[in-house]
């Protein structure tokens, strides 16, 4: 379900136990962050937990927002520049149970969240990497609590020593490589979508979950695994009609593999032979 202006305006709003104004946008199968400007920066806390978000990006100017709940999504990318420019007062970020695995995400958080004090990355692949906690403490020096554990002064000192060591230099090199790989993957998704789905941007009718075109739906409505499968379907399509069918479903936000192939209409029969062809065949038979 796309995060429309109507959904935001009709979402639950409350004063939470901390006395903060909070908007609840959880468990709505939201694939991408959009249209948040309609909230008019009226909230201290936003709950976007348990959706299908893969990227933390596209925030409008929200200077009041201080707490962001993003647990239970599929997030593997953070736009630090967007957060730095438009969410400058973010102090609490919950990213529990997501797909964060690169040092570049930690670096982006450090550059984009200058007031971040409370961060949770519990349940992300990156927590299993060596020196994860020390690296995170070094890159985000404002942190007071990481993964629900208080950051100690001794940890800050160890993190500083790690940053000056050969191991720290190797981690920084890995961070740069992972940042380039993430940028290339983002570019490739857009480029592949443009090549595969070269369709008109105009739509005649509105359908729930439908993007303006197949390219937009491909970029926002599907997981990385589903995108790979869609590319494979297009590459292995047996006819132009099959490709048209895949594009039509993708445009509607429907994964083609979830639709029974038996619903595809059979190809039209070949046209009957013309009268001239019949006469020519008869003459050949007589000659033989």
């Amino acid at each position: 379900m796309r995060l429309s202006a109507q959904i935001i305006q009709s979402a639950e709003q409350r004063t939470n136990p901390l006395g903060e104004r909070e908007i609840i946008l959880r468990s709505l199968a939201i694939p991408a962050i959009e249209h948040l400007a309609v909230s008019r920066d009226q909230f201290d806390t936003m709950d976007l937990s348990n959706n299908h978000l893969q990227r933390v990006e596209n925030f409008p100017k929200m200077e009041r927002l201080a707490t962001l709940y993003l647990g239970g999504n599929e997030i593997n990318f953070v736009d630090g520049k967007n957060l730095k420019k438009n969410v400058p007062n973010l102090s609490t970020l919950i990213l529990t149970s997501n797909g964060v695995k690169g040092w570049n995400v930690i670096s982006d958080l450090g550059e984009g969240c200058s007031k971040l004090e409370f961060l949770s990355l519990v349940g992300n692949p990156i927590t299993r990497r060596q020196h994860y906690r020390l690296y995170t403490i070094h890159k985000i020096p404002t942190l007071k609590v990481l993964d629900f554990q208080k950051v100690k002064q001794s940890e800050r000192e160890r993190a500083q020593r790690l940053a000056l060591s050969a191991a720290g230099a190797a981690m920084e090199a890995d961070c740069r490589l992972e940042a380039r790989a993430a940028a290339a993957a983002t570019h490739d998704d857009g480029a592949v979508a443009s090549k595969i789905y070269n369709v008109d941007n105009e739509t005649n009718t509105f359908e729930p979950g439908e993007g303006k075109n197949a390219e937009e739906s491909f970029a926002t409505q599907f997981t990385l695994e589903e995108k790979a499968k869609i590319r494979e379907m297009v590459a292995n399509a047996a006819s132009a009609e099959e490709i048209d069918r895949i594009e039509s479903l993708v445009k509607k936000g429907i994964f083609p593999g979830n639709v029974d192939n038996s619903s595809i209409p059979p190809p039209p029969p070949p046209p009957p032979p013309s009268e001239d062809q019949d006469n020519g065949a008869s003459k050949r038979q007589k000659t033989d």
Side-chain angles (χ1 to χ4, degrees), residues 90-93 106 109-110 113-121 132-147 149-153 155-156:
L90 188 66
S91 61
T92 298
L93 179 60
I106 303 299
L109 285 174
C113 305
S114 61
K115 297 183 179 180
L116 192 62
E117 297 180 351
F118 193 111
L119 172 66
S120 173
L121 287 163
Y132 148 74
R133 185 172 174 88
L134 294 180
Y135 183 82
T136 304
I137 291 171
H138 170 68
K139 299 302 288 187
I140 314 176
T142 54
L143 280 182
K144 295 181 179 179
V145 178
L146 174 60
D147 296 341
Q149 295 182 14
K150 184 177 179 180
V151 176
K152 302 176 181 178
Q153 181 58 33
E155 289 181 308
R156 297 189 191 280

Side-chain angles (χ1 to χ4, degrees), residues 5 38 72 85 107 115 121 133 176 185 197 205 211 240 255 257 264:
V38 302
K85 179 180 178 180
S107 179
K115 297 183 179 180
L121 287 163
R133 185 172 174 88
R176 290 190 291 270
Y197 303 117
T205 59
F255 180 63
I264 303 173

Side-chain angles (χ1 to χ4, degrees), residues 241-274:
E241 288 79 11
E242 176 67 359
I243 294 176
D244 289 341
R245 167 186 167 273
I246 294 171
E247 289 182 350
S248 176
L249 292 171
V250 169
K251 184 177 178 181
K252 296 175 183 177
I254 301 172
F255 180 63
N258 294 336
V259 179
D260 186 1
N261 289 335
S262 63
S263 62
I264 303 173
S274 65

Side-chain angles (χ1 to χ4, degrees), residues 32-196:
I33 295 171
E34 55 186 339
H35 300 132
L36 288 179
V38 302
S39 68
R40 299 177 182 272
D41 195 16
Q42 296 177 343
F43 300 99
D44 307 290
T45 300
M46 183 171 292
D47 189 349
L48 282 160
S49 304
N50 302 326
N51 286 294
H52 297 318
L53 300 174
Q54 296 184 6
R55 302 168 66 87
V56 180
E57 63 181 358
N58 202 30
F59 279 90
K61 200 71 173 179
M62 303 186 78
E63 295 184 348
R64 181 173 174 176
L65 186 63
T67 300
L68 190 55
Y69 294 107
L70 291 167
N73 281 280
E74 304 160 17
I75 293 167
N76 54 41
F77 173 84
V78 173
D79 187 344
K81 293 180 180 178
N82 175 246
L83 293 178
K84 181 177 182 179
K85 179 180 178 180
N86 292 337
V87 195
N89 295 311
L90 188 66
S91 61
T92 298
L93 179 60
I94 305 299
L95 284 166
T96 303
S97 300
N98 276 281
V100 175
K101 58 183 178 181
W103 296 130
N104 58 303
V105 177
I106 303 299
S107 179
D108 288 338
L109 285 174
E111 294 176 4
C113 305
S114 61
K115 297 183 179 180
L116 192 62
E117 297 180 351
F118 193 111
L119 172 66
S120 173
L121 287 163
V122 173
N124 284 265
I126 195 170
T127 61
R128 298 191 291 271
R129 296 182 70 168
Q130 188 178 21
H131 303 310
Y132 148 74
R133 185 172 174 88
L134 294 180
Y135 183 82
T136 304
I137 291 171
H138 170 68
K139 299 302 288 187
I140 314 176
T142 54
L143 280 182
K144 295 181 179 179
V145 178
L146 174 60
D147 296 341
F148 306 102
Q149 295 182 14
K150 184 177 179 180
V151 176
K152 302 176 181 178
Q153 181 58 33
S154 60
E155 289 181 308
R156 297 189 191 280
E157 294 170 357
R158 289 170 56 201
Q160 184 64 29
R161 289 198 296 271
L162 173 65
L164 298 174
S165 69
M171 293 170 75
E172 287 298 334
D174 288 343
C175 177
R176 290 190 291 270
L177 289 173
E178 290 164 1
R180 286 198 291 269
T186 301
H187 178 268
D188 287 347
D189 272 349
V192 169
S194 298
K195 291 178 181 178
I196 294 177

